[in-house]
Each structure stands twice: as structure tokens, then as C-alpha cells.
Amino acid sequence: MPSGCCCPPSTAPRARRLGRTAAAAVLVPLCAAAVLIGAVRAWDVTTARQSVRARRSYAAGMIKPIELVIFDCDGVLVDSERIAVRIQVLLGAELGWPLTEGEVVDRFMGRSHAAIREQIAARLGDDTAALWAERFELLHREAVDAGLAPVDGLPEALDALDLLALPTCVASSGSHEKMRHTLGRTGLYERFAGRVHSSTEVARGKPAPDLFLYAARRMGVDPAACAVVEDSRPGVEAARAAGMRVFGYAGGLTPAERLEGPDTVVFHDMRRLPALIGGR
């Protein structure tokens, strides 16, 4: 009998078989549980896989060259955030929720109309939230028609990106109707025609990554090869969650420190964007 074995030679193979059977009895339920958990999470599997793959490329040090630049709209392409904030402050005073400009930036900026309306409804009720939304749309349209311009330095930045042969698109919390209006008034809509994406097309708005992952999928580019230009805290958080590189534009209303974070370059002059992207 070999030393160190407590079984007779005739029973040792049977003991090994029993050991394998016991191990299988433990492993099979564990595997089944893992499958069940995966099934529960399958509702968002495409979005999750895209985000995880992109983040893993960073962790492994395999940073891909930038193949697509995704622009937010308000405050990045067109200087409309100042208009929106001013109107929100006005409506808050008129309808019973006094807000400072800083509070509007923190609560509303970068979020979808639906998310903003939910906040107002929770505070003032559904009827007031509906009136607020109606008044905002009217006042915003009038202000845009009275005078809206591209963000300072934006046309030069787009021209330089064209020279770099970098594809671009738009992914905004605003509706398509709103973007047709604001981008149309500034002569930018045709420049992005067919490459404009709205949070109305996805289940969750910023700071969830859905919109940016959707834009990358529609453009046929790996999220890890995308760069996002954003000017709001929810926007930069959404881009990071999507595993994309972020360029936080601090030349608008959001303080630079609110944009800072991993995989993020904060800048103040839109004319610098092409050089920053070219260096990544």
C-alpha cells in the first residue's frame, strides 16, 4: 500500500470517483446560479458589454487611437446653456421654486427634459411641471431666434478636425426638434446631418452611458476609440461610464473642478480641442 494513503488499493479508485462526484455536486449549482444571474441582467446586455470592453482596454493599457469625436450640443456646439439657465431661473421665480444660476447648473444642466420635468413635478406637482415645460419651450425658442451663436472657437475647431480626417457626431440630452432649431439657427445642422443622436432614443439619459454607447454603435466605432466633448457633470460621468475618453469644456458655466476626473482632459478654449485630441 503506498505511504500516505488510508484506503486499501481496491477502494482508492472508488474514493477518487466519489470525490469527483462531490465536487460536481458543488460546482453544478454554482454554475446554475451564475447563469441565472446573467439572465437577470440580460435586459441591458449590449450596453453593458460595450461599456465593460471599453473600460477593460484602459485597464490593460490598450488605449486605441481616437476614431470618433462625439459632441454634446448645448454649451459645446452652440452657446445656448446661458439662455437656458437664465430662463430656468426666471420660471422658478414665477412658478414657486426660486433657484440661483448655480443651482440650475447643478440640478438641470446636462440632463434630459424628462429628468428635469421629474424634478419639478416632485417639487411643485405635475400640473406646474407641465406649465413650466411649456413656458420654457416658448421662451427658449424666442431667445434662440433673437440671437444664438456657436460656442467661441467652435467653427475653427471643427475645420481642424476635418483636416485630421476625424469623424464627428452629436449626442445630446435635447430632443431632435430642439437640435434642429439650435443647430439650424447657427448653420451647424447640415454639418452634422445624419449624425445627430438624442437621449429620446435611449432608455436612460446622462449620467448613464446609454446615449454615448448608442451613438458609437450607430457610427460603427468601438467605444474605446471614442472621445466625448462635454460641458456638464452628468455628461462627463456618462462618457466615463461608457469607457470613452473625455474632453471637459470649462469655457462655459460648469466650473473646471466639476469636470475633472479619470480619463478626462479639461480645457477652456475650444480652439485647443484639435491639438488635444491629436495628442491622445
Side-chain angles (χ1 to χ4, degrees):
M1 179 186 301
S3 61
C5 179
C6 62
C7 303
S10 61
T11 60
R14 181 170 178 270
R16 285 195 295 270
R17 286 196 299 274
L18 289 172
R20 287 195 295 268
T21 302
V26 173
L27 289 174
V28 168
L30 287 176
C31 291
V35 170
L36 178 60
I37 291 171
V40 170
R41 294 175 177 172
W43 64 274
D44 201 22
V45 67
T46 301
T47 295
R49 283 176 177 170
Q50 281 186 297
S51 185
V52 168
R53 281 198 299 266
R55 289 197 297 269
R56 282 177 178 170
S57 71
Y58 280 112
M62 299 181 294
I63 299 178
K64 295 186 176 183
I66 293 173
E67 299 174 12
L68 174 67
V69 182
I70 304 174
F71 285 92
D72 177 40
C73 182
D74 295 304
V76 171
L77 295 178
V78 293
D79 196 13
S80 54
E81 289 290 18
R82 299 178 200 278
I83 293 173
V85 169
R86 185 172 69 247
I87 295 171
Q88 298 287 28
V89 170
L90 174 67
L91 290 173
E94 176 185 316
L95 298 175
W97 189 7
L99 293 164
T100 66
E101 288 192 358
E103 288 171 332
V104 170
V105 170
D106 288 342
R107 288 178 175 274
F108 298 165
M109 190 167 159
R111 301 187 185 275
S112 67
H113 290 307
I116 294 171
R117 185 165 176 164
E118 284 178 9
Q119 291 189 56
I120 298 168
R123 182 78 175 230
L124 302 174
D126 290 336
D127 290 344
T128 302
L131 176 60
W132 187 311
E134 182 182 332
R135 297 268 292 127
F136 178 85
E137 184 177 348
L138 175 63
L139 293 172
H140 188 272
R141 178 171 287 275
E142 290 175 350
V144 166
D145 288 341
L148 178 66
V151 164
D152 183 46
L154 186 277
E156 298 95 318
L158 292 179
D159 289 342
L161 289 175
D162 286 345
L163 291 176
L164 293 174
L166 270 176
T168 59
C169 71
V170 181
S172 171
S173 293
S175 66
H176 279 286
E177 181 181 3
K178 180 184 176 185
M179 285 187 281
R180 277 193 295 270
H181 187 218
T182 57
L183 294 175
R185 292 293 298 180
T186 52
L188 293 172
Y189 190 78
E190 289 302 320
R191 191 158 195 167
F192 290 99
R195 308 189 314 281
V196 178
H197 313 290
S198 167
S199 64
T200 59
E201 299 171 79
V202 296
R204 302 175 299 173
K206 305 169 188 177
D210 301 29
L211 177 58
F212 291 134
L213 293 174
Y214 172 75
R217 191 160 62 246
R218 288 291 301 271
M219 296 293 292
V221 178
D222 188 327
C226 295
V228 175
V229 188
E230 263 286 356
D231 71 323
S232 73
R233 181 63 175 265
V236 296
E237 290 176 349
R240 290 182 199 128
M244 300 178 180
R245 280 159 280 186
V246 190
F247 294 84
Y249 177 60
L253 297 176
T254 303
E257 59 269 20
R258 295 275 293 165
L259 302 173
E260 293 171 352
D263 304 314
T264 302
V265 175
V266 177
F267 67 108
H268 292 79
D269 185 347
M270 193 61 73
R271 296 174 186 83
R272 292 191 60 218
L273 180 64
L276 294 172
I277 288 177
R280 299 279 287 185

CSV table of all heavy atoms in Angstrom, one decimal, residues 248-277:
chain,number,residue,atom,x,y,z
A,248,GLY,N,-13.4,67.8,-21.2
A,248,GLY,CA,-14.4,68.6,-20.5
A,248,GLY,C,-14.1,70.1,-20.8
A,248,GLY,O,-13.1,70.7,-20.4
A,249,TYR,N,-15.1,70.7,-21.5
A,249,TYR,CA,-15.0,72.1,-21.9
A,249,TYR,C,-15.5,73.0,-20.7
A,249,TYR,O,-16.6,73.0,-20.3
A,249,TYR,CB,-15.9,72.4,-23.1
A,249,TYR,CG,-15.9,73.9,-23.5
A,249,TYR,CD1,-14.7,74.5,-23.9
A,249,TYR,CD2,-17.1,74.6,-23.6
A,249,TYR,CE1,-14.7,75.8,-24.2
A,249,TYR,CE2,-17.1,75.9,-23.9
A,249,TYR,CZ,-15.9,76.5,-24.3
A,249,TYR,OH,-15.9,77.9,-24.6
A,250,ALA,N,-14.5,73.7,-20.1
A,250,ALA,CA,-14.8,74.6,-19.0
A,250,ALA,C,-14.9,76.0,-19.3
A,250,ALA,O,-14.8,76.9,-18.4
A,250,ALA,CB,-13.7,74.4,-17.9
A,251,GLY,N,-15.1,76.3,-20.6
A,251,GLY,CA,-15.3,77.7,-21.0
A,251,GLY,C,-16.7,78.2,-20.9
A,251,GLY,O,-17.0,79.3,-21.3
A,252,GLY,N,-17.6,77.4,-20.4
A,252,GLY,CA,-19.0,77.7,-20.2
A,252,GLY,C,-19.4,78.0,-18.8
A,252,GLY,O,-18.7,78.8,-18.1
A,253,LEU,N,-20.4,77.3,-18.3
A,253,LEU,CA,-21.0,77.6,-17.0
A,253,LEU,C,-20.5,76.7,-15.9
A,253,LEU,O,-20.6,77.0,-14.7
A,253,LEU,CB,-22.5,77.6,-17.1
A,253,LEU,CG,-23.2,78.6,-18.0
A,253,LEU,CD1,-24.7,78.4,-18.0
A,253,LEU,CD2,-22.8,80.1,-17.5
A,254,THR,N,-20.1,75.5,-16.3
A,254,THR,CA,-19.7,74.5,-15.3
A,254,THR,C,-18.2,74.8,-14.8
A,254,THR,O,-17.3,74.8,-15.7
A,254,THR,CB,-19.8,73.1,-15.8
A,254,THR,OG1,-21.1,72.8,-16.2
A,254,THR,CG2,-19.4,72.0,-14.7
A,255,PRO,N,-18.0,74.9,-13.5
A,255,PRO,CA,-16.6,75.1,-13.0
A,255,PRO,C,-15.7,73.9,-13.4
A,255,PRO,O,-16.1,72.8,-13.5
A,255,PRO,CB,-16.7,75.2,-11.5
A,255,PRO,CG,-18.2,75.6,-11.3
A,255,PRO,CD,-18.9,74.9,-12.4
A,256,ALA,N,-14.4,74.2,-13.7
A,256,ALA,CA,-13.5,73.2,-14.2
A,256,ALA,C,-13.4,72.0,-13.2
A,256,ALA,O,-13.3,70.9,-13.6
A,256,ALA,CB,-12.1,73.8,-14.4
A,257,GLU,N,-13.4,72.3,-11.9
A,257,GLU,CA,-13.3,71.2,-10.9
A,257,GLU,C,-14.5,70.2,-11.0
A,257,GLU,O,-14.4,69.1,-10.6
A,257,GLU,CB,-13.1,71.7,-9.5
A,257,GLU,CG,-14.3,72.6,-9.0
A,257,GLU,CD,-14.1,74.1,-9.3
A,257,GLU,OE1,-13.3,74.4,-10.2
A,257,GLU,OE2,-14.7,74.9,-8.6
A,258,ARG,N,-15.6,70.7,-11.5
A,258,ARG,CA,-16.8,69.8,-11.6
A,258,ARG,C,-16.6,68.8,-12.8
A,258,ARG,O,-17.4,67.8,-12.9
A,258,ARG,CB,-18.1,70.6,-11.8
A,258,ARG,CG,-18.4,71.4,-10.6
A,258,ARG,CD,-19.2,70.7,-9.6
A,258,ARG,NE,-20.5,70.3,-10.1
A,258,ARG,CZ,-21.3,69.4,-9.5
A,258,ARG,NH1,-20.8,68.7,-8.4
A,258,ARG,NH2,-22.5,69.1,-10.0
A,259,LEU,N,-15.7,69.1,-13.7
A,259,LEU,CA,-15.5,68.3,-14.9
A,259,LEU,C,-14.3,67.3,-14.7
A,259,LEU,O,-14.2,66.4,-15.5
A,259,LEU,CB,-15.3,69.2,-16.1
A,259,LEU,CG,-16.4,70.2,-16.5
A,259,LEU,CD1,-15.9,71.1,-17.6
A,259,LEU,CD2,-17.7,69.4,-16.8
A,260,GLU,N,-13.4,67.6,-13.8
A,260,GLU,CA,-12.2,66.8,-13.6
A,260,GLU,C,-12.5,65.4,-13.2
A,260,GLU,O,-13.5,65.1,-12.5
A,260,GLU,CB,-11.3,67.5,-12.6
A,260,GLU,CG,-10.8,68.8,-13.1
A,260,GLU,CD,-10.0,69.6,-12.0
A,260,GLU,OE1,-10.1,69.1,-10.8
A,260,GLU,OE2,-9.4,70.6,-12.3
A,261,GLY,N,-11.6,64.5,-13.6
A,261,GLY,CA,-11.8,63.1,-13.2
A,261,GLY,C,-10.9,62.2,-14.1
A,261,GLY,O,-10.2,62.6,-14.9
A,262,PRO,N,-11.0,60.9,-13.9
A,262,PRO,CA,-10.2,59.9,-14.7
A,262,PRO,C,-10.5,60.0,-16.2
A,262,PRO,O,-11.6,60.3,-16.6
A,262,PRO,CB,-10.7,58.5,-14.2
A,262,PRO,CG,-11.4,58.8,-12.9
A,262,PRO,CD,-12.0,60.2,-13.0
A,263,ASP,N,-9.4,59.8,-17.0
A,263,ASP,CA,-9.5,59.8,-18.4
A,263,ASP,C,-10.2,61.1,-19.0
A,263,ASP,O,-10.9,61.1,-20.0
A,263,ASP,CB,-10.3,58.6,-18.9
A,263,ASP,CG,-9.7,57.3,-18.4
A,263,ASP,OD1,-8.5,57.1,-18.5
A,263,ASP,OD2,-10.5,56.4,-18.0
A,264,THR,N,-9.9,62.2,-18.3
A,264,THR,CA,-10.6,63.5,-18.7
A,264,THR,C,-9.5,64.6,-18.8
A,264,THR,O,-8.7,64.8,-17.9
A,264,THR,CB,-11.6,63.9,-17.6
A,264,THR,OG1,-12.6,62.9,-17.5
A,264,THR,CG2,-12.3,65.2,-18.0
A,265,VAL,N,-9.6,65.3,-19.9
A,265,VAL,CA,-8.8,66.5,-20.1
A,265,VAL,C,-9.7,67.7,-20.1
A,265,VAL,O,-10.7,67.8,-20.8
A,265,VAL,CB,-8.1,66.5,-21.5
A,265,VAL,CG1,-7.3,67.8,-21.7
A,265,VAL,CG2,-7.1,65.3,-21.6
A,266,VAL,N,-9.4,68.6,-19.2
A,266,VAL,CA,-10.3,69.8,-19.0
A,266,VAL,C,-9.6,71.0,-19.7
A,266,VAL,O,-8.4,71.2,-19.6
A,266,VAL,CB,-10.5,70.2,-17.5
A,266,VAL,CG1,-11.3,71.5,-17.4
A,266,VAL,CG2,-11.2,69.0,-16.8
A,267,PHE,N,-10.3,71.7,-20.5
A,267,PHE,CA,-9.8,72.8,-21.3
A,267,PHE,C,-10.8,74.0,-21.3
A,267,PHE,O,-11.9,73.8,-21.1
A,267,PHE,CB,-9.4,72.4,-22.7
A,267,PHE,CG,-10.5,72.0,-23.6
A,267,PHE,CD1,-10.9,72.8,-24.6
A,267,PHE,CD2,-11.3,70.8,-23.4
A,267,PHE,CE1,-12.0,72.5,-25.4
A,267,PHE,CE2,-12.3,70.5,-24.2
A,267,PHE,CZ,-12.7,71.3,-25.2
A,268,HIS,N,-10.3,75.2,-21.7
A,268,HIS,CA,-11.1,76.4,-21.6
A,268,HIS,C,-11.3,77.0,-23.0
A,268,HIS,O,-12.2,77.8,-23.1
A,268,HIS,CB,-10.5,77.4,-20.7
A,268,HIS,CG,-10.5,77.0,-19.2
A,268,HIS,ND1,-9.6,76.1,-18.7
A,268,HIS,CD2,-11.3,77.3,-18.2
A,268,HIS,CE1,-9.8,75.9,-17.4
A,268,HIS,NE2,-10.9,76.6,-17.1
A,269,ASP,N,-10.5,76.7,-23.9
A,269,ASP,CA,-10.6,77.3,-25.3
A,269,ASP,C,-10.9,76.3,-26.3
A,269,ASP,O,-10.1,75.4,-26.5
A,269,ASP,CB,-9.3,78.1,-25.6
A,269,ASP,CG,-9.3,78.9,-26.9
A,269,ASP,OD1,-10.3,78.7,-27.7
A,269,ASP,OD2,-8.4,79.7,-27.1
A,270,MET,N,-12.0,76.4,-27.0
A,270,MET,CA,-12.4,75.4,-28.0
A,270,MET,C,-11.4,75.2,-29.1
A,270,MET,O,-11.3,74.2,-29.7
A,270,MET,CB,-13.8,75.7,-28.5
A,270,MET,CG,-14.4,74.5,-29.3
A,270,MET,SD,-14.7,73.0,-28.3
A,270,MET,CE,-16.1,73.5,-27.2
A,271,ARG,N,-10.7,76.3,-29.4
A,271,ARG,CA,-9.7,76.2,-30.4
A,271,ARG,C,-8.6,75.2,-30.1
A,271,ARG,O,-7.9,74.8,-31.0
A,271,ARG,CB,-9.1,77.6,-30.7
A,271,ARG,CG,-10.1,78.6,-31.2
A,271,ARG,CD,-9.4,80.0,-31.3
A,271,ARG,NE,-10.4,81.0,-31.6
A,271,ARG,CZ,-11.2,81.6,-30.7
A,271,ARG,NH1,-11.2,81.3,-29.4
A,271,ARG,NH2,-12.1,82.5,-31.1
A,272,ARG,N,-8.4,74.9,-28.9
A,272,ARG,CA,-7.3,74.0,-28.5
A,272,ARG,C,-7.7,72.5,-28.7
A,272,ARG,O,-6.9,71.6,-28.6
A,272,ARG,CB,-6.9,74.2,-27.0
A,272,ARG,CG,-6.2,75.5,-26.7
A,272,ARG,CD,-5.7,75.4,-25.2
A,272,ARG,NE,-4.8,74.3,-25.1
A,272,ARG,CZ,-4.7,73.6,-24.0
A,272,ARG,NH1,-5.5,73.8,-23.0
A,272,ARG,NH2,-3.8,72.6,-23.9
A,273,LEU,N,-9.0,72.3,-28.9
A,273,LEU,CA,-9.5,70.9,-28.9
A,273,LEU,C,-8.8,70.0,-29.9
A,273,LEU,O,-8.4,68.9,-29.6
A,273,LEU,CB,-11.0,70.9,-29.2
A,273,LEU,CG,-11.7,69.5,-29.2
A,273,LEU,CD1,-11.5,68.7,-27.9
A,273,LEU,CD2,-13.1,69.6,-29.7
A,274,PRO,N,-8.6,70.4,-31.2
A,274,PRO,CA,-8.0,69.5,-32.2
A,274,PRO,C,-6.6,69.1,-31.7
A,274,PRO,O,-6.2,67.9,-31.9
A,274,PRO,CB,-7.9,70.4,-33.4
A,274,PRO,CG,-9.1,71.3,-33.3
A,274,PRO,CD,-9.1,71.7,-31.8
A,275,ALA,N,-5.8,70.0,-31.2
A,275,ALA,CA,-4.4,69.7,-30.7
A,275,ALA,C,-4.5,68.7,-29.5
A,275,ALA,O,-3.7,67.8,-29.5
A,275,ALA,CB,-3.7,70.9,-30.3
A,276,LEU,N,-5.4,68.9,-28.6
A,276,LEU,CA,-5.6,68.0,-27.5
A,276,LEU,C,-6.0,66.6,-28.0
A,276,LEU,O,-5.4,65.6,-27.5
A,276,LEU,CB,-6.6,68.5,-26.5
A,276,LEU,CG,-6.3,69.8,-25.8
A,276,LEU,CD1,-7.5,70.3,-25.0
A,276,LEU,CD2,-5.1,69.6,-24.9
A,277,ILE,N,-6.9,66.5,-28.9
A,277,ILE,CA,-7.3,65.2,-29.4
A,277,ILE,C,-6.2,64.6,-30.2
A,277,ILE,O,-5.9,63.4,-30.1
A,277,ILE,CB,-8.6,65.4,-30.3
A,277,ILE,CG1,-9.8,65.7,-29.4
A,277,ILE,CG2,-8.8,64.1,-31.1
A,277,ILE,CD1,-11.1,65.9,-30.1
